[in-house]
mmCIF file of all heavy atoms in Angstrom:
data_model
loop_
_atom_site.group_PDB
_atom_site.id
_atom_site.type_symbol
_atom_site.label_atom_id
_atom_site.label_comp_id
_atom_site.label_asym_id
_atom_site.label_seq_id
_atom_site.Cartn_x
_atom_site.Cartn_y
_atom_site.Cartn_z
ATOM 1 N N GLU A 1 -0.386 10.173 -18.877
ATOM 2 C CA GLU A 1 -0.691 9.984 -17.459
ATOM 3 C C GLU A 1 -1.855 9.016 -17.312
ATOM 4 O O GLU A 1 -2.920 9.198 -17.903
ATOM 5 C CB GLU A 1 -1.045 11.324 -16.819
ATOM 6 C CG GLU A 1 -1.366 11.230 -15.334
ATOM 7 C CD GLU A 1 -1.756 12.572 -14.746
ATOM 8 O OE1 GLU A 1 -0.865 13.435 -14.629
ATOM 9 O OE2 GLU A 1 -2.945 12.768 -14.425
ATOM 10 N N LEU A 2 -1.637 7.996 -16.512
ATOM 11 C CA LEU A 2 -2.650 6.984 -16.239
ATOM 12 C C LEU A 2 -3.040 7.087 -14.769
ATOM 13 O O LEU A 2 -2.195 6.927 -13.885
ATOM 14 C CB LEU A 2 -2.100 5.594 -16.537
ATOM 15 C CG LEU A 2 -3.010 4.388 -16.298
ATOM 16 C CD1 LEU A 2 -4.246 4.461 -17.171
ATOM 17 C CD2 LEU A 2 -2.246 3.083 -16.549
ATOM 18 N N ALA A 3 -4.318 7.401 -14.515
ATOM 19 C CA ALA A 3 -4.782 7.637 -13.144
ATOM 20 C C ALA A 3 -5.860 6.631 -12.759
ATOM 21 O O ALA A 3 -6.756 6.327 -13.550
ATOM 22 C CB ALA A 3 -5.321 9.056 -12.999
ATOM 23 N N PHE A 4 -5.729 6.106 -11.535
ATOM 24 C CA PHE A 4 -6.704 5.183 -10.960
ATOM 25 C C PHE A 4 -7.273 5.817 -9.686
ATOM 26 O O PHE A 4 -6.532 6.402 -8.902
ATOM 27 C CB PHE A 4 -6.061 3.847 -10.572
ATOM 28 C CG PHE A 4 -5.342 3.141 -11.681
ATOM 29 C CD1 PHE A 4 -4.029 3.458 -11.992
ATOM 30 C CD2 PHE A 4 -5.976 2.150 -12.413
ATOM 31 C CE1 PHE A 4 -3.357 2.801 -13.004
ATOM 32 C CE2 PHE A 4 -5.314 1.488 -13.431
ATOM 33 C CZ PHE A 4 -4.000 1.815 -13.730
ATOM 34 N N SER A 5 -8.562 5.642 -9.466
ATOM 35 C CA SER A 5 -9.159 6.090 -8.210
ATOM 36 C C SER A 5 -10.378 5.240 -7.903
ATOM 37 O O SER A 5 -11.119 4.858 -8.810
ATOM 38 C CB SER A 5 -9.547 7.568 -8.269
ATOM 39 O OG SER A 5 -10.521 7.781 -9.266
ATOM 40 N N ALA A 6 -10.568 4.938 -6.621
ATOM 41 C CA ALA A 6 -11.715 4.113 -6.213
ATOM 42 C C ALA A 6 -11.823 4.123 -4.704
ATOM 43 O O ALA A 6 -10.816 4.261 -3.995
ATOM 44 C CB ALA A 6 -11.552 2.680 -6.705
ATOM 45 N N PRO A 7 -13.032 3.985 -4.181
ATOM 46 C CA PRO A 7 -13.177 3.731 -2.743
ATOM 47 C C PRO A 7 -12.748 2.299 -2.442
ATOM 48 O O PRO A 7 -13.088 1.370 -3.174
ATOM 49 C CB PRO A 7 -14.680 3.929 -2.501
ATOM 50 C CG PRO A 7 -15.319 3.685 -3.825
ATOM 51 C CD PRO A 7 -14.331 4.115 -4.859
ATOM 52 N N VAL A 8 -11.974 2.135 -1.380
ATOM 53 C CA VAL A 8 -11.527 0.797 -0.992
ATOM 54 C C VAL A 8 -12.619 0.093 -0.198
ATOM 55 O O VAL A 8 -12.976 -1.065 -0.453
ATOM 56 C CB VAL A 8 -10.230 0.888 -0.170
ATOM 57 C CG1 VAL A 8 -9.773 -0.501 0.285
ATOM 58 C CG2 VAL A 8 -9.128 1.562 -0.983
ATOM 59 N N ASP A 9 -13.157 0.796 0.775
ATOM 60 C CA ASP A 9 -14.194 0.288 1.664
ATOM 61 C C ASP A 9 -14.769 1.498 2.404
ATOM 62 O O ASP A 9 -14.460 2.635 2.038
ATOM 63 C CB ASP A 9 -13.619 -0.768 2.624
ATOM 64 C CG ASP A 9 -12.360 -0.298 3.344
ATOM 65 O OD1 ASP A 9 -12.260 0.917 3.614
ATOM 66 O OD2 ASP A 9 -11.487 -1.124 3.653
ATOM 67 N N PRO A 10 -15.584 1.319 3.405
ATOM 68 C CA PRO A 10 -16.117 2.492 4.118
ATOM 69 C C PRO A 10 -15.064 3.315 4.858
ATOM 70 O O PRO A 10 -15.378 4.396 5.369
ATOM 71 C CB PRO A 10 -17.114 1.870 5.109
ATOM 72 C CG PRO A 10 -17.478 0.563 4.528
ATOM 73 C CD PRO A 10 -16.236 0.073 3.851
ATOM 74 N N PHE A 11 -13.821 2.843 4.865
ATOM 75 C CA PHE A 11 -12.801 3.514 5.671
ATOM 76 C C PHE A 11 -11.733 4.239 4.851
ATOM 77 O O PHE A 11 -11.106 5.171 5.345
ATOM 78 C CB PHE A 11 -12.116 2.489 6.582
ATOM 79 C CG PHE A 11 -13.068 1.673 7.398
ATOM 80 C CD1 PHE A 11 -13.374 0.370 7.051
ATOM 81 C CD2 PHE A 11 -13.693 2.225 8.508
ATOM 82 C CE1 PHE A 11 -14.261 -0.381 7.803
ATOM 83 C CE2 PHE A 11 -14.578 1.494 9.264
ATOM 84 C CZ PHE A 11 -14.871 0.183 8.908
ATOM 85 N N PHE A 12 -11.498 3.814 3.587
ATOM 86 C CA PHE A 12 -10.398 4.370 2.812
ATOM 87 C C PHE A 12 -10.806 4.610 1.358
ATOM 88 O O PHE A 12 -11.628 3.889 0.797
ATOM 89 C CB PHE A 12 -9.188 3.421 2.818
ATOM 90 C CG PHE A 12 -8.601 3.164 4.171
ATOM 91 C CD1 PHE A 12 -8.943 2.009 4.872
ATOM 92 C CD2 PHE A 12 -7.711 4.056 4.747
ATOM 93 C CE1 PHE A 12 -8.410 1.757 6.116
ATOM 94 C CE2 PHE A 12 -7.173 3.808 5.995
ATOM 95 C CZ PHE A 12 -7.530 2.665 6.677
ATOM 96 N N ASP A 13 -10.182 5.652 0.761
ATOM 97 C CA ASP A 13 -10.194 5.881 -0.683
ATOM 98 C C ASP A 13 -8.781 5.675 -1.206
ATOM 99 O O ASP A 13 -7.798 5.910 -0.483
ATOM 100 C CB ASP A 13 -10.647 7.305 -1.017
ATOM 101 C CG ASP A 13 -12.142 7.493 -0.843
ATOM 102 O OD1 ASP A 13 -12.878 6.499 -1.019
ATOM 103 O OD2 ASP A 13 -12.569 8.618 -0.522
ATOM 104 N N PHE A 14 -8.673 5.259 -2.477
ATOM 105 C CA PHE A 14 -7.365 4.973 -3.067
ATOM 106 C C PHE A 14 -7.185 5.791 -4.336
ATOM 107 O O PHE A 14 -8.137 5.982 -5.106
ATOM 108 C CB PHE A 14 -7.246 3.485 -3.392
ATOM 109 C CG PHE A 14 -5.969 3.106 -4.112
ATOM 110 C CD1 PHE A 14 -4.797 2.931 -3.401
ATOM 111 C CD2 PHE A 14 -5.946 2.950 -5.484
ATOM 112 C CE1 PHE A 14 -3.619 2.593 -4.056
ATOM 113 C CE2 PHE A 14 -4.779 2.621 -6.155
ATOM 114 C CZ PHE A 14 -3.620 2.435 -5.430
ATOM 115 N N PHE A 15 -5.948 6.273 -4.572
ATOM 116 C CA PHE A 15 -5.642 7.061 -5.767
ATOM 117 C C PHE A 15 -4.215 6.760 -6.194
ATOM 118 O O PHE A 15 -3.310 6.647 -5.354
ATOM 119 C CB PHE A 15 -5.793 8.558 -5.474
ATOM 120 C CG PHE A 15 -5.530 9.439 -6.661
ATOM 121 C CD1 PHE A 15 -6.491 9.606 -7.650
ATOM 122 C CD2 PHE A 15 -4.333 10.107 -6.799
ATOM 123 C CE1 PHE A 15 -6.257 10.418 -8.745
ATOM 124 C CE2 PHE A 15 -4.082 10.923 -7.885
ATOM 125 C CZ PHE A 15 -5.052 11.077 -8.863
ATOM 126 N N ALA A 16 -4.005 6.618 -7.508
ATOM 127 C CA ALA A 16 -2.660 6.363 -8.034
ATOM 128 C C ALA A 16 -2.523 7.012 -9.396
ATOM 129 O O ALA A 16 -3.467 7.037 -10.190
ATOM 130 C CB ALA A 16 -2.387 4.865 -8.124
ATOM 131 N N VAL A 17 -1.336 7.551 -9.668
ATOM 132 C CA VAL A 17 -1.016 8.153 -10.965
ATOM 133 C C VAL A 17 0.336 7.615 -11.426
ATOM 134 O O VAL A 17 1.340 7.709 -10.703
ATOM 135 C CB VAL A 17 -0.948 9.693 -10.885
ATOM 136 C CG1 VAL A 17 -0.495 10.269 -12.226
ATOM 137 C CG2 VAL A 17 -2.299 10.266 -10.516
ATOM 138 N N THR A 18 0.344 7.055 -12.618
ATOM 139 C CA THR A 18 1.581 6.602 -13.252
ATOM 140 C C THR A 18 1.807 7.428 -14.500
ATOM 141 O O THR A 18 0.890 7.622 -15.298
ATOM 142 C CB THR A 18 1.493 5.112 -13.620
ATOM 143 O OG1 THR A 18 1.330 4.339 -12.430
ATOM 144 C CG2 THR A 18 2.764 4.655 -14.319
ATOM 145 N N THR A 19 3.018 7.915 -14.676
ATOM 146 C CA THR A 19 3.353 8.746 -15.830
ATOM 147 C C THR A 19 4.347 8.012 -16.720
ATOM 148 O O THR A 19 5.359 7.496 -16.239
ATOM 149 C CB THR A 19 3.955 10.088 -15.383
ATOM 150 O OG1 THR A 19 3.017 10.762 -14.543
ATOM 151 C CG2 THR A 19 4.255 10.966 -16.591
ATOM 152 N N ILE A 20 4.046 7.981 -17.999
ATOM 153 C CA ILE A 20 4.958 7.417 -18.995
ATOM 154 C C ILE A 20 5.454 8.564 -19.855
ATOM 155 O O ILE A 20 4.656 9.244 -20.516
ATOM 156 C CB ILE A 20 4.248 6.364 -19.866
ATOM 157 C CG1 ILE A 20 3.616 5.281 -18.986
ATOM 158 C CG2 ILE A 20 5.211 5.737 -20.863
ATOM 159 C CD1 ILE A 20 2.724 4.331 -19.740
ATOM 160 N N ALA A 21 6.755 8.817 -19.819
ATOM 161 C CA ALA A 21 7.327 9.954 -20.537
ATOM 162 C C ALA A 21 8.547 9.505 -21.328
ATOM 163 O O ALA A 21 9.437 8.860 -20.768
ATOM 164 C CB ALA A 21 7.725 11.063 -19.564
ATOM 165 N N PRO A 22 8.612 9.801 -22.630
ATOM 166 C CA PRO A 22 9.791 9.458 -23.412
ATOM 167 C C PRO A 22 11.055 10.061 -22.799
ATOM 168 O O PRO A 22 11.089 11.238 -22.448
ATOM 169 C CB PRO A 22 9.497 10.080 -24.782
ATOM 170 C CG PRO A 22 8.008 10.154 -24.849
ATOM 171 C CD PRO A 22 7.558 10.437 -23.446
ATOM 172 N N GLY A 23 12.056 9.238 -22.633
ATOM 173 C CA GLY A 23 13.305 9.693 -22.023
ATOM 174 C C GLY A 23 13.337 9.547 -20.525
ATOM 175 O O GLY A 23 14.400 9.586 -19.914
ATOM 176 N N HIS A 24 12.170 9.402 -19.894
ATOM 177 C CA HIS A 24 12.094 9.237 -18.447
ATOM 178 C C HIS A 24 11.546 7.875 -18.044
ATOM 179 O O HIS A 24 11.629 7.508 -16.869
ATOM 180 C CB HIS A 24 11.212 10.335 -17.832
ATOM 181 C CG HIS A 24 11.728 11.719 -18.059
ATOM 182 N ND1 HIS A 24 12.805 12.252 -17.384
ATOM 183 C CD2 HIS A 24 11.308 12.688 -18.908
ATOM 184 C CE1 HIS A 24 13.021 13.492 -17.800
ATOM 185 N NE2 HIS A 24 12.128 13.785 -18.719
ATOM 186 N N GLY A 25 10.971 7.142 -18.981
ATOM 187 C CA GLY A 25 10.424 5.833 -18.670
ATOM 188 C C GLY A 25 9.117 5.936 -17.906
ATOM 189 O O GLY A 25 8.370 6.912 -18.012
ATOM 190 N N ILE A 26 8.837 4.921 -17.127
ATOM 191 C CA ILE A 26 7.613 4.848 -16.336
ATOM 192 C C ILE A 26 7.908 5.317 -14.916
ATOM 193 O O ILE A 26 8.842 4.828 -14.282
ATOM 194 C CB ILE A 26 7.046 3.417 -16.316
ATOM 195 C CG1 ILE A 26 6.737 2.942 -17.744
ATOM 196 C CG2 ILE A 26 5.795 3.350 -15.460
ATOM 197 C CD1 ILE A 26 6.270 1.519 -17.822
ATOM 198 N N GLU A 27 7.134 6.275 -14.443
ATOM 199 C CA GLU A 27 7.327 6.811 -13.103
ATOM 200 C C GLU A 27 6.041 6.681 -12.299
ATOM 201 O O GLU A 27 4.948 6.971 -12.803
ATOM 202 C CB GLU A 27 7.740 8.287 -13.158
ATOM 203 C CG GLU A 27 9.058 8.534 -13.865
ATOM 204 C CD GLU A 27 9.429 10.000 -13.871
ATOM 205 O OE1 GLU A 27 8.839 10.770 -13.074
ATOM 206 O OE2 GLU A 27 10.285 10.394 -14.682
ATOM 207 N N LEU A 28 6.177 6.255 -11.070
ATOM 208 C CA LEU A 28 5.045 6.216 -10.149
ATOM 209 C C LEU A 28 4.966 7.584 -9.501
ATOM 210 O O LEU A 28 5.656 7.885 -8.543
ATOM 211 C CB LEU A 28 5.248 5.123 -9.101
ATOM 212 C CG LEU A 28 4.054 4.802 -8.204
ATOM 213 C CD1 LEU A 28 2.878 4.333 -9.038
ATOM 214 C CD2 LEU A 28 4.429 3.731 -7.186
ATOM 215 N N GLU A 29 4.103 8.432 -10.058
ATOM 216 C CA GLU A 29 4.058 9.829 -9.620
ATOM 217 C C GLU A 29 3.401 9.963 -8.248
ATOM 218 O O GLU A 29 3.906 10.665 -7.376
ATOM 219 C CB GLU A 29 3.323 10.670 -10.654
ATOM 220 C CG GLU A 29 3.428 12.158 -10.401
ATOM 221 C CD GLU A 29 2.931 12.972 -11.586
ATOM 222 O OE1 GLU A 29 2.702 12.412 -12.664
ATOM 223 O OE2 GLU A 29 2.774 14.199 -11.419
ATOM 224 N N GLU A 30 2.245 9.324 -8.078
ATOM 225 C CA GLU A 30 1.554 9.342 -6.798
ATOM 226 C C GLU A 30 0.861 8.002 -6.572
ATOM 227 O O GLU A 30 0.333 7.403 -7.509
ATOM 228 C CB GLU A 30 0.500 10.460 -6.741
ATOM 229 C CG GLU A 30 1.035 11.859 -6.627
ATOM 230 C CD GLU A 30 -0.067 12.854 -6.288
ATOM 231 O OE1 GLU A 30 -0.821 13.227 -7.199
ATOM 232 O OE2 GLU A 30 -0.169 13.240 -5.110
ATOM 233 N N VAL A 31 0.828 7.557 -5.338
ATOM 234 C CA VAL A 31 -0.009 6.431 -4.933
ATOM 235 C C VAL A 31 -0.266 6.575 -3.441
ATOM 236 O O VAL A 31 0.659 6.567 -2.642
ATOM 237 C CB VAL A 31 0.631 5.064 -5.277
ATOM 238 C CG1 VAL A 31 2.036 4.936 -4.705
ATOM 239 C CG2 VAL A 31 -0.250 3.920 -4.798
ATOM 240 N N TYR A 32 -1.523 6.776 -3.080
ATOM 241 C CA TYR A 32 -1.819 7.047 -1.676
ATOM 242 C C TYR A 32 -3.238 6.627 -1.334
ATOM 243 O O TYR A 32 -4.073 6.360 -2.218
ATOM 244 C CB TYR A 32 -1.611 8.523 -1.342
ATOM 245 C CG TYR A 32 -2.470 9.486 -2.118
ATOM 246 C CD1 TYR A 32 -3.792 9.738 -1.737
ATOM 247 C CD2 TYR A 32 -1.961 10.168 -3.235
ATOM 248 C CE1 TYR A 32 -4.582 10.625 -2.443
ATOM 249 C CE2 TYR A 32 -2.749 11.051 -3.946
ATOM 250 C CZ TYR A 32 -4.055 11.282 -3.550
ATOM 251 O OH TYR A 32 -4.837 12.156 -4.245
ATOM 252 N N THR A 33 -3.513 6.588 -0.051
ATOM 253 C CA THR A 33 -4.853 6.315 0.442
ATOM 254 C C THR A 33 -5.264 7.432 1.396
ATOM 255 O O THR A 33 -4.431 7.960 2.141
ATOM 256 C CB THR A 33 -4.920 4.945 1.153
ATOM 257 O OG1 THR A 33 -6.248 4.698 1.598
ATOM 258 C CG2 THR A 33 -3.991 4.897 2.345
ATOM 259 N N ASP A 34 -6.544 7.790 1.336
ATOM 260 C CA ASP A 34 -7.121 8.798 2.224
ATOM 261 C C ASP A 34 -8.122 8.133 3.165
ATOM 262 O O ASP A 34 -8.878 7.245 2.747
ATOM 263 C CB ASP A 34 -7.845 9.886 1.423
ATOM 264 C CG ASP A 34 -6.896 10.848 0.753
ATOM 265 O OD1 ASP A 34 -5.808 11.082 1.311
ATOM 266 O OD2 ASP A 34 -7.236 11.352 -0.330
ATOM 267 N N THR A 35 -8.143 8.579 4.390
ATOM 268 C CA THR A 35 -9.103 8.042 5.353
ATOM 269 C C THR A 35 -10.458 8.732 5.204
ATOM 270 O O THR A 35 -10.549 9.889 4.788
ATOM 271 C CB THR A 35 -8.610 8.233 6.791
ATOM 272 O OG1 THR A 35 -8.453 9.635 7.054
ATOM 273 C CG2 THR A 35 -7.285 7.525 7.017
ATOM 274 N N LYS A 36 -11.503 7.996 5.583
ATOM 275 C CA LYS A 36 -12.861 8.547 5.583
ATOM 276 C C LYS A 36 -13.552 8.408 6.937
ATOM 277 O O LYS A 36 -14.706 8.807 7.075
ATOM 278 C CB LYS A 36 -13.717 7.826 4.526
ATOM 279 C CG LYS A 36 -13.243 8.005 3.115
ATOM 280 C CD LYS A 36 -14.234 7.472 2.103
ATOM 281 C CE LYS A 36 -14.318 5.958 2.118
ATOM 282 N NZ LYS A 36 -15.199 5.433 1.039
ATOM 283 N N PHE A 37 -12.838 7.857 7.915
ATOM 284 C CA PHE A 37 -13.497 7.501 9.165
ATOM 285 C C PHE A 37 -13.048 8.325 10.365
ATOM 286 O O PHE A 37 -13.610 8.195 11.456
ATOM 287 C CB PHE A 37 -13.261 6.013 9.474
ATOM 288 C CG PHE A 37 -11.808 5.656 9.663
ATOM 289 C CD1 PHE A 37 -11.217 5.711 10.914
ATOM 290 C CD2 PHE A 37 -11.031 5.264 8.587
ATOM 291 C CE1 PHE A 37 -9.883 5.390 11.093
ATOM 292 C CE2 PHE A 37 -9.701 4.933 8.754
ATOM 293 C CZ PHE A 37 -9.120 4.996 10.012
ATOM 294 N N LEU A 38 -12.025 9.182 10.189
ATOM 295 C CA LEU A 38 -11.550 9.945 11.345
ATOM 296 C C LEU A 38 -12.576 11.016 11.724
ATOM 297 O O LEU A 38 -13.125 11.702 10.858
ATOM 298 C CB LEU A 38 -10.202 10.594 11.042
ATOM 299 C CG LEU A 38 -9.017 9.645 10.826
ATOM 300 C CD1 LEU A 38 -7.749 10.437 10.605
ATOM 301 C CD2 LEU A 38 -8.858 8.695 12.003
ATOM 302 N N PRO A 39 -12.804 11.214 13.015
ATOM 303 C CA PRO A 39 -13.837 12.166 13.463
ATOM 304 C C PRO A 39 -13.298 13.586 13.599
ATOM 305 O O PRO A 39 -12.099 13.840 13.444
ATOM 306 C CB PRO A 39 -14.232 11.606 14.831
ATOM 307 C CG PRO A 39 -12.962 10.990 15.340
ATOM 308 C CD PRO A 39 -12.249 10.425 14.134
ATOM 309 N N TYR A 40 -14.206 14.516 13.873
ATOM 310 C CA TYR A 40 -13.891 15.888 14.285
ATOM 311 C C TYR A 40 -13.082 16.661 13.247
ATOM 312 O O TYR A 40 -12.268 17.523 13.591
ATOM 313 C CB TYR A 40 -13.150 15.888 15.619
ATOM 314 C CG TYR A 40 -13.853 15.122 16.701
ATOM 315 C CD1 TYR A 40 -13.270 13.973 17.256
ATOM 316 C CD2 TYR A 40 -15.112 15.507 17.169
ATOM 317 C CE1 TYR A 40 -13.912 13.252 18.252
ATOM 318 C CE2 TYR A 40 -15.762 14.788 18.157
ATOM 319 C CZ TYR A 40 -15.156 13.668 18.688
ATOM 320 O OH TYR A 40 -15.804 12.948 19.659
ATOM 321 N N GLY A 41 -13.254 16.382 11.961
ATOM 322 C CA GLY A 41 -12.594 17.154 10.920
ATOM 323 C C GLY A 41 -11.174 16.740 10.608
ATOM 324 O O GLY A 41 -10.492 17.420 9.839
ATOM 325 N N PHE A 42 -10.696 15.630 11.160
ATOM 326 C CA PHE A 42 -9.348 15.139 10.874
ATOM 327 C C PHE A 42 -9.366 14.249 9.631
ATOM 328 O O PHE A 42 -10.346 13.561 9.346
ATOM 329 C CB PHE A 42 -8.778 14.355 12.055
ATOM 330 C CG PHE A 42 -8.368 15.206 13.217
ATOM 331 C CD1 PHE A 42 -9.232 15.401 14.287
ATOM 332 C CD2 PHE A 42 -7.126 15.827 13.232
ATOM 333 C CE1 PHE A 42 -8.861 16.185 15.362
ATOM 334 C CE2 PHE A 42 -6.742 16.611 14.300
ATOM 335 C CZ PHE A 42 -7.607 16.801 15.373
ATOM 336 N N ALA A 43 -8.266 14.246 8.891
ATOM 337 C CA ALA A 43 -8.093 13.361 7.741
ATOM 338 C C ALA A 43 -6.620 12.996 7.642
ATOM 339 O O ALA A 43 -5.736 13.807 7.946
ATOM 340 C CB ALA A 43 -8.566 14.029 6.457
ATOM 341 N N LEU A 44 -6.358 11.774 7.203
ATOM 342 C CA LEU A 44 -4.986 11.264 7.111
ATOM 343 C C LEU A 44 -4.744 10.747 5.702
ATOM 344 O O LEU A 44 -5.610 10.067 5.128
ATOM 345 C CB LEU A 44 -4.764 10.147 8.128
ATOM 346 C CG LEU A 44 -3.349 9.546 8.206
ATOM 347 C CD1 LEU A 44 -2.358 10.578 8.734
ATOM 348 C CD2 LEU A 44 -3.360 8.301 9.089
ATOM 349 N N ARG A 45 -3.597 11.076 5.145
ATOM 350 C CA ARG A 45 -3.163 10.552 3.842
ATOM 351 C C ARG A 45 -1.824 9.840 4.030
ATOM 352 O O ARG A 45 -0.928 10.361 4.697
ATOM 353 C CB ARG A 45 -3.038 11.666 2.814
ATOM 354 C CG ARG A 45 -2.487 11.225 1.458
ATOM 355 C CD ARG A 45 -2.560 12.338 0.424
ATOM 356 N NE ARG A 45 -3.952 12.656 0.105
ATOM 357 C CZ ARG A 45 -4.317 13.544 -0.809
ATOM 358 N NH1 ARG A 45 -3.390 14.215 -1.495
ATOM 359 N NH2 ARG A 45 -5.596 13.781 -1.045
ATOM 360 N N ALA A 46 -1.667 8.673 3.392
ATOM 361 C CA ALA A 46 -0.434 7.900 3.507
ATOM 362 C C ALA A 46 -0.047 7.369 2.139
ATOM 363 O O ALA A 46 -0.895 6.912 1.374
ATOM 364 C CB ALA A 46 -0.612 6.752 4.498
ATOM 365 N N GLY A 47 1.241 7.432 1.815
ATOM 366 C CA GLY A 47 1.738 6.929 0.542
ATOM 367 C C GLY A 47 2.735 7.894 -0.066
ATOM 368 O O GLY A 47 3.427 8.625 0.641
#
């Protein structure tokens, strides 16, 4: 499992996981961005 994570800017965080498995090849398990700017306890994830 190869995982990447980093803040994009003051508004978004980024996360991605790629899995390499014999017999299954390379799979993009997760890739998404999380918001950091929404008010009042709201958060949005897309991907």
